[in-house]
Amino acid sequence: SAPTSGTHELADTGFMNIFEALRVSHDTQRALCARLLQSPPDGGERHAIFLELKRELLAHETAEERCFYVPLFEHDSSVNSSRHAIAEHHEMDEMVEDLEGNDLTGAGWMAGAKKLCEKVEHHLEEEETKFFQVAGKVLTEAQKISLAKDYEAEFLTQRIKA
C-alpha cells in the first residue's frame, strides 16, 4: 500500500511516527479478522481468535482516541474526521457486544462476525487513505513521533488490562 503523509521523512530517525505505529495494530486487526472468518465453528479456536480481536480492538481504539484523535480535535480541518472515527469505534464495540451474547457455532454468529470484519476493514481503509492525510497536514514532525510514543505506551497499558 502507498505510504501515508510524513512516513518517508522520518525513516532515518529510528522512531516510528504515529501513522506507522497505528498501522501495526491495523495489520494485526486485519490478520485476526481473516483468521476469524476462516475458523471452524467447533472447538475453541474461533472463540480464542474472537477474544484476541476484541482485546486488540479495545486497546487500539482507546489508545488511538486518547493519543491521536484528541490532539486532532484542536484543528478545524480534522475535528469532523475525529468525530466520525470515534463514532465508528462505538459501532464496532456494539457489534462485538452483540457477538459476545450469541452462540459462536451458529450461522448467525458468523454473519455478524463478517459484518464486524467488514466494518473494521472499512474503518481502517478510510483512516489510512483519508484521515492520515488530513492529520499529516496539521501535525508537526515532532508531534508525529511524540504521539506515536504516547500511543504505543497507552496501547500496551490497555493490552495488559484486557
Side-chain angles (χ1 to χ4, degrees):
S1 62
T4 57
S5 175
T7 53
H8 286 310
E9 301 91 318
L10 297 174
D12 296 333
T13 65
F15 297 108
M16 264 200 271
N17 69 30
I18 185 62
F19 309 113
E20 293 162 333
L22 292 170
R23 278 184 187 270
V24 172
S25 179
H26 288 186
D27 291 346
T28 300
Q29 291 170 48
R30 286 184 172 105
L32 287 168
C33 278
R35 286 180 53 212
L36 181 65
L37 297 179
Q38 294 168 358
S39 65
D42 50 353
E45 185 183 2
R46 179 176 289 175
H47 186 248
I49 296 167
F50 174 67
L51 289 178
E52 184 65 20
L53 177 61
K54 175 187 168 187
R55 286 193 285 270
E56 184 72 21
L57 289 172
L58 183 61
H60 174 76
E61 290 170 356
T62 302
E64 186 175 57
E65 288 172 13
R66 289 180 178 165
C67 304
F68 184 56
Y69 297 150
V70 168
L72 291 170
F73 274 116
E74 297 174 22
H75 304 276
D76 291 343
S77 61
S78 54
V79 70
N80 286 335
S81 297
S82 295
R83 285 185 188 137
H84 175 76
I86 290 170
E88 285 189 344
H89 284 176
H90 180 69
E91 289 174 42
M92 289 183 280
D93 291 344
E94 289 185 336
M95 295 170 94
V96 166
E97 213 173 281
D98 289 344
L99 287 169
E100 280 183 307
N102 293 314
D103 177 12
L104 274 74
T105 61
W109 192 92
M110 189 47 90
K114 189 170 191 283
K115 283 183 183 171
L116 170 63
C117 289
E118 287 169 354
K119 184 66 175 178
V120 168
E121 180 54 41
H122 160 82
H123 176 75
L124 300 179
E125 184 71 21
E126 192 171 55
E127 234 175 35
E128 292 170 357
T129 61
K130 296 178 185 170
F131 193 45
F132 281 10
Q133 284 69 25
V134 171
K137 291 176 183 163
V138 299
L139 298 172
T140 67
E141 296 305 311
Q143 282 178 306
K144 291 172 190 175
I145 292 173
S146 69
L147 291 175
K149 291 176 184 175
D150 294 346
Y151 165 81
E152 289 177 321
E154 182 65 23
F155 179 83
L156 288 174
T157 300
Q158 294 300 320
R159 283 294 284 169
I160 291 166
K161 285 182 186 178

